[in-house]
Amino acid sequence: MKQTNTRAMVETAFVSAIVVMLTLIGTTVPLLSLLATLVAPAGIALIGIRWGSRYSCAASAVAFVLVSLLVGPLMALATILTYSLPSIFLGEAFRANWPLGKLIVIPAIALTVTSLVGILISAGVTSFDLTQINHMIDVDLKNALIESIKQQPMTQEQMDAYINRIDLAIQQAKRMILAYWFGANTVVIYILAKLVTYIGRRTNSVVRTLPPMDTWRMPIWGAGVLAVGIILAYGGQYLGYANGILSDIGLNIALFGGMICGLNGITCLLSIMKSYNLAGIFKFAIIGFLYVMSPMALVIYGILDMFLDMRARFQKRSL
């Protein structure tokens, strides 16, 4: 038992040193920033897989202290502290064999919380006014888009209509920033999980592999979340209880439900195309075309698959 504990502590110290080194490289060389945001957290997760959450917490603490001493606490806060908690959860998820949804969602929630806390702490320490971000979006970004539009061969009426649509899209995106943030963090955690499985197989730490996307099935309650969000966002003006905060909450809930249904539509189409042995490049070309031209079609198709099992209806039949 003592020998096992000694080995665990030695590996934890070794991985902590690697995490510190990767973080320093990633924060000083912009082109290698992924070393600090993906590869280093994967090391913390691997320690959790091999020896448990206690050792991954210890590795995070040691790395945070060392990075704070070398490049300052703010940089340690933006890297180590932000990604440590999601990495600890991810290591525990692999170790306890959590289902895929739980394995991705819980670390994504942790990353959303830690990144938000990190931004607030950094803004408080540096006296940065967060309203400047809103000004940058409303003025700088909008002016840049308007200038690019003016370069296009359009009439004044077409240009005004296009600018109004851009303004509406920006205002709506600002109201749904929390859902967008969580969605982006979910993608980051999935990439991190894939990296952990790859490194884990190389080091004989992880025997589990993540299922391919064409086998994913989103829960049917995703359609219910989408419906509730739409009702909260747009039903108030018809029912006489219009409330700005409630409408913003509804938009975020609706976007979250739409992401679930849209992802189910994507995985459904991938499953069907796989049954016809369609080449991978054509699969992603079709998905990319639908996402760019009509993302709502993916959401609708995902809802239909939840209730009608479109995969069984349209997959190629065996002769």
Side-chain angles (χ1 to χ4, degrees):
M1 188 66 180
K2 291 182 179 179
Q3 182 180 3
T4 302
N5 289 338
T6 302
R7 182 179 178 185
M9 288 187 289
V10 170
E11 286 191 13
T12 300
F14 180 69
V15 171
S16 298
I18 293 177
V19 168
V20 171
M21 181 186 65
L22 293 175
T23 302
L24 293 177
I25 296 173
T27 54
T28 54
V29 183
L31 294 178
L32 301 177
S33 59
L34 290 179
L35 293 178
T37 56
L38 282 179
V39 182
I44 297 174
L46 287 170
I47 283 294
I49 294 171
R50 288 178 63 85
W51 303 108
S53 300
R54 181 174 61 178
Y55 290 96
S56 58
C57 290
S60 301
V62 171
F64 179 78
V65 172
L66 293 176
V67 173
S68 298
L69 293 174
L70 293 172
V71 294
L74 284 181
M75 189 60 68
L77 178 68
T79 53
I80 301 296
L81 195 60
T82 299
Y83 287 93
S84 289
L85 186 60
S87 300
I88 293 169
F89 276 118
L90 191 61
E92 183 62 26
F94 277 103
R95 186 178 177 85
N97 200 28
W98 289 0
L100 178 64
K102 186 178 178 182
L103 183 145
I104 299 297
V105 170
I106 291 182
I109 294 174
L111 180 57
T112 303
V113 173
T114 54
S115 56
L116 178 60
V117 171
I119 289 174
L120 294 177
I121 294 176
S122 299
V125 172
T126 59
S127 300
F128 178 75
D129 188 3
L130 293 177
T131 58
Q132 293 181 10
I133 300 177
N134 185 52
H135 180 270
M136 291 171 58
I137 296 175
D138 276 343
V139 179
D140 299 339
L141 178 61
K142 190 186 299 183
N143 289 339
L145 293 173
I146 290 174
E147 289 298 324
S148 65
I149 292 172
K150 289 181 179 180
Q151 306 300 323
Q152 306 300 321
M154 294 183 180
T155 63
Q156 188 62 41
E157 293 181 356
Q158 292 175 329
M159 192 177 300
D160 292 340
Y162 201 76
I163 291 174
N164 289 334
R165 288 199 297 270
I166 289 177
D167 184 62
L168 179 62
I170 290 176
Q171 296 304 320
Q172 194 170 37
K174 285 165 55 181
R175 297 171 64 188
M176 298 187 294
I177 187 66
L178 186 60
Y180 280 121
W181 196 347
F182 175 74
N185 288 334
T186 303
V187 175
V188 171
I189 292 298
Y190 177 72
I191 296 173
L192 179 58
K194 294 287 286 186
L195 182 62
V196 168
T197 57
Y198 175 78
I199 299 176
R201 287 197 303 269
R202 295 286 183 175
T203 58
N204 295 321
S205 302
V206 181
V207 295
R208 176 181 177 181
T209 58
L210 299 180
M213 286 187 65
D214 54 81
T215 62
W216 295 4
R217 284 184 179 270
M218 299 299 106
I220 196 171
W221 52 258
V225 171
L226 175 60
V228 170
I230 292 174
I231 292 172
L232 290 176
Y234 302 107
Q237 55 185 334
Y238 300 105
L239 300 177
Y241 66 90
N243 186 300
I245 297 177
L246 194 61
S247 177
D248 291 348
I249 294 174
L251 285 173
N252 283 274
I253 293 175
L255 180 58
F256 176 66
M259 289 177 181
I260 295 175
C261 297
L263 182 58
N264 193 67
I266 291 174
T267 58
C268 176
L269 289 175
L270 287 175
S271 177
I272 294 173
M273 289 186 287
K274 182 180 179 181
S275 67
Y276 288 91
N277 297 321
L278 198 64
I281 187 172
F282 293 109
K283 292 180 188 178
F284 290 101
I286 293 171
I287 297 297
F289 176 80
L290 289 174
Y291 180 78
V292 172
M293 300 303 296
S294 182
M296 190 57 64
L298 295 173
V299 175
I300 294 173
Y301 197 75
I303 296 173
L304 291 175
D305 180 60
M306 289 177 178
F307 290 96
L308 301 178
D309 194 8
M310 305 298 286
R311 307 171 197 232
R313 293 174 180 270
F314 291 103
Q315 278 185 344
K316 185 178 181 181
R317 300 293 190 269
S318 300
L319 298 177

